[in-house]
Amino acid sequence: MTGRVGLAGAVAVCVSLSAQAPSTSSGQGRESKPAAANPQIDQLKANVAQEVDGEKEDLARMNDMVFSFGELGFQEFETSKYLSAILEKNGFKIERNLAGIPTAWMATWGSGKPVIAMGSDIDDIPQASQKPGVAYHDPMIEGAPGHGEGHNSGMPMQIAAALAVKKIMEQQHLAGTLKLWPGVAEELVGTKAYYVRAGAFKDVDVCLFAHVADNMGVSWGDSSGSGLVSVEYSFKGESAHAAAAPWRGRSALDAVELMDVGWNFRREHLRIQQRSHYVISNGGDQPNVVPPNAAVWYYFRETDYEHIKEMNAIGDRMAKAAAMMTDTTVSMRILGSAWPGHFNKTLAEVMHANIEKVGLPQWSPEDVLLATSLQKEMKVPVVGLATKIQPLRGRASVPDDEKRGGPSDDIGDISWNVPTVTLRYPANIAAGPGHNWANAISMATPIAHKGIEYGAKVMALTVVDILERPEIVTQAWDYFRNVQTKDVKYVPLMRPDDKPAIWMNQQTMAKYRDGMKKYYFDPTKYRTYLEQLGIKYPTVR
Ligand SMILES: [Zn+2]
């Protein structure tokens, strides 16, 4: 099962460090400072890029393997076993059960400063099962989870980058420590605040995070997204025969519905920056039994800590009021939380210079056909795949009334504890709405394979910069201390007695895992997952 990932002696065909035409990188009036020419660093970068080239096949294999596991948050057992084994085989020391989370781990190699943490998420999306390389909805298993966000690609990319850098560090006897870690249950924003609380980033100098996208880019400063708390309200009433003695019952489901009605009225009088949504996670058993238990699960999103807390408090009050109306009782628990992210200016500038150096992949006609066919299918602009790098964007602070809310990622919590940036790499197609089967289509195809190869190079080159230029860490911390956290102090959104919700998704995964096992990638028999599935690339209408 474990594809062997060594730094094979395969002849590197080409060191693709040819720059694209440099796009202008203006940080809204602030100039990004490219590093002064340094032939020694350039040579190291050329070498490390060559190492990534040599790992290309291993990298694609890792990506496809994780795609085939398709595991939901907190249930990433196969994924974690597979990825951590590769690192262990390559000399990393693995600390398992990180922060008391069974599928979380920290892999460490090297010694001394700087300490560089490299992470990416690994969980997937409910009901997003989808055949890769097919430009329309065609699930592998109806109803099963799937990588409808592309989280199968980030850790393979980071591992390839780390192994390439490790090789160079060994050859050149460079000091430094590499720490690799997976974002478990990111879709539940379930773990990173707990990693922080457990001290996993205490000695870390910088954190280089990565997230799948449809282009290559990095940004710094205040993010336009939201932070959130994820709260489940569980109501308790009394069961009774719903026809024979309904007056003896107290319906917990009534409380859930009244809370939801209340919230939907209140919505009109909340700030426009907020986003809130819920699902009824327990609606009772059957109609002729007055539901003695029911639960509703809310995400409360806002733009900063105070507003998130305020929304959470409104939700709590509304739940108590619904319990009073129905003579039920309510308890609440936090299932996840995320601070809005803030990304480091120095690190973003260093990374952006490397993005310009590495450039974008050359897409084949087949890659472009898959992309344009999916874009037609989804009725979105037919733009194909990325051919121009995004400019470096950043602002230390964005006025609150310019914020419109949006998605959240619990990397936010890490970004308020250690200088952090997120590399967006081009492994997806600009077509799907996100959290959807359409976003899985490219994720085990040559599009993803090329995207992570180029992403791994950017990451590896950035690590080389940080190892060789100690002023980067100093400047990154200067921005972190004197700009980012000058007026804002990190306080976790979860309470001291909250614990990671490690039981979540257990039942769903148990329901589908046996069926999914038949489709696990077998790299001993097939070169790629598409080959194993017998899918013609691309398959279009
Ligand atoms: Zn994500």
Side-chain angles (χ1 to χ4, degrees), residues 234-254:
S234 298
F235 294 88
K236 206 168 172 42
E238 185 60 49
S239 72
H241 193 301
W247 49 87
R248 292 181 62 181
R250 295 290 174 264
S251 171
L253 180 60
D254 288 356

Side-chain angles (χ1 to χ4, degrees), residues 4 66 96 111 118 122 126 176 192 226 318 336 342 390 418 426 450 460 507 523:
R4 213 182 123 61
V66 178
R96 295 181 203 280
S111 61
M118 302 161 74
I122 57 170
K192 296 190 191 90
S226 316
M318 211 164 272
H342 188 115
Q390 292 170 332
V418 56
K450 289 171 202 168
Q507 287 177 356

Side-chain angles (χ1 to χ4, degrees), residues 168-184:
I168 301 301
M169 288 171 76
E170 284 169 335
Q171 283 168 359
Q172 306 288 328
H173 309 289
L174 303 179
T177 305
L178 304 177
K179 287 171 105 61
L180 273 81
W181 54 277
V184 163

Side-chain angles (χ1 to χ4, degrees), residues 85-166:
I86 291 167
L87 287 163
E88 199 162 32
K89 224 179 271 174
N90 282 280
F92 280 72
K93 196 172 86 14
I94 316 286
E95 180 200 345
R96 295 181 203 280
N97 206 37
L98 184 67
I101 298 159
T103 54
W105 40 273
M106 182 66 82
T108 307
W109 178 86
S111 61
K113 293 273 184 185
V115 180
I116 301 168
M118 302 161 74
S120 196
D121 304 322
I122 57 170
D123 58 324
D124 74 351
I125 302 281
Q127 303 194 44
S129 176
Q130 168 68 30
K131 287 182 188 159
V134 178
Y136 47 85
H137 193 199
D138 190 2
M140 309 231 302
I141 298 175
E142 188 71 50
H147 272 291
E149 173 140 338
H151 284 181
N152 59 303
S153 56
M155 278 315 280
M157 188 198 91
Q158 292 281 38
I159 290 172
L163 296 184
V165 172
K166 173 177 177 262

